[in-house]
Amino acid sequence: AQSVTQLGSHVSVSEGALVLLRCNYSSSVPPYLFWYVQYPNQGLQLLLKYTTGATLVKGINGFEAEFKKSETSFHLTKPSAHMSDAAEYFCAVSKETSYDKVIFGPGTSLSVIP
Amino acid sequence: DADVTQTPRNRITKTGKRIMLECSQTKGHDRMYWYRQDPGLGLRLIYYSFDVKDINKGEISDGYSVSRQAQAKFSLSLESAIPNQTALYFCATSDPRDLKRVELFFGEGSRLTVL
């Protein structure tokens, strides 16, 4: 069965500092990988995704993630945190053959300190 | 207006009561989903529907039922609510025809509290 782990349920960074949110997955077949963001009192929205092709994926709001098959990882980064980045971030995985059966990780809450 | 609308947004009810959460979408997507969000557990799939005549159980369907009244409407029912069903519930949609846009589109959530 597929599973997703996110290291750190809560991460705090200073404004302007590097954001690094970790995600590892287990999958028996090549997966589709996603990062979703949830702002307070809102639903989730797609930040970025990896399906095929280039392993470094760029998303909205300056975020990017790199698919590393050998490490089964899909870590999310942003060079410089902004106050508006404070939110809950979910890593998710699905199989190519059933891409909309998405398995979500437990989430990481990002706080940005002024 | 939101593409995926959930009602009610907040509901407090008592143990044993029947509750229905409704979802409607204007995206024209065939596929609709109900997820439950609990702190530290992420989102877990309750039910999903690929079209009006196709309903499938997800990871945690026990205690829940669904109805797909039309392409645009997908409701979730708790026949006899219990306190451990207190959670944030999300409806989502996807479009299987657009492989370039492999993603779920979420509503804003329905917060349910069962006392």
Side-chain angles (χ1 to χ4, degrees):
Chain A
Q2 291 175 294
S3 67
V4 179
T5 58
Q6 293 182 239
L7 184 63
S9 60
H10 191 92
V11 171
S12 293
V13 299
S14 298
E15 191 174 17
L18 171 71
V19 176
L20 171 60
L21 304 182
R22 299 179 187 275
C23 173
N24 288 89
Y25 67 91
S26 65
S27 176
S28 58
V29 296
Y32 285 1
L33 295 159
F34 309 84
W35 277 98
Y36 282 85
V37 60
Q38 182 183 24
Y39 298 105
N41 298 314
Q42 296 186 24
L44 283 73
Q45 59 181 279
L46 184 68
L47 200 55
L48 49 78
K49 65 178 181 282
Y50 169 80
T51 53
T52 59
T55 57
L56 182 62
V57 180
K58 296 186 183 297
I60 60 173
N61 300 334
F63 284 93
E64 62 182 35
E66 186 171 11
F67 169 51
K68 293 186 176 181
K69 185 177 180 180
S70 62
E71 299 177 7
T72 60
S73 68
F74 192 55
H75 301 329
L76 181 70
T77 61
K78 181 175 180 177
S80 177
H82 191 273
M83 295 298 294
S84 61
D85 295 327
E88 188 88 17
Y89 291 81
F90 294 94
C91 182
V93 61
S94 69
K95 292 182 180 180
E96 181 177 351
T97 54
S98 56
Y99 70 86
D100 45 2
K101 292 183 183 178
V102 179
I103 305 298
F104 286 85
T108 297
S109 178
L110 177 66
S111 298
V112 181
I113 304 167
Chain B
D1 290 339
D3 293 327
V4 182
T5 303
Q6 295 183 227
T7 56
R9 293 292 311 281
N10 288 283
R11 182 73 182 268
I12 300 173
T13 191
K14 294 182 179 180
T15 298
K17 294 291 187 180
R18 184 178 187 273
I19 293 296
M20 178 180 286
L21 306 179
E22 299 184 334
C23 177
S24 63
Q25 52 112 348
T26 58
K27 299 190 73 67
H29 291 169
D30 287 329
R31 299 188 175 187
M32 298 186 73
Y33 312 79
W34 275 105
Y35 281 91
R36 166 179 172 160
Q37 183 182 11
D38 297 279
L41 296 178
L43 278 74
R44 292 178 292 168
L45 184 62
I46 306 172
Y47 270 96
Y48 60 102
S49 169
F50 285 174
D51 63 42
V52 175
K53 297 180 180 180
D54 182 74
I55 303 288
N56 303 280
K57 292 183 177 180
E59 179 186 355
I60 54 164
S61 60
D62 287 349
Y64 302 94
S65 62
V66 291
S67 174
R68 186 78 184 268
Q69 301 95 323
Q71 186 207 36
K73 296 184 182 296
F74 191 37
S75 60
L76 176 72
S77 294
L78 288 68
E79 296 301 326
S80 180
I82 57 177
N84 75 0
Q85 292 178 312
T86 293
L88 184 57
Y89 292 85
F90 284 103
C91 176
T93 72
S94 72
D95 183 0
R97 299 165 299 177
D98 189 353
L99 295 180
K100 293 183 179 180
R101 295 203 68 194
V102 176
E103 68 178 282
L104 295 169
F105 297 87
F106 286 85
E108 294 187 325
S110 295
R111 184 169 297 280
L112 176 65
T113 302
V114 183
L115 302 176

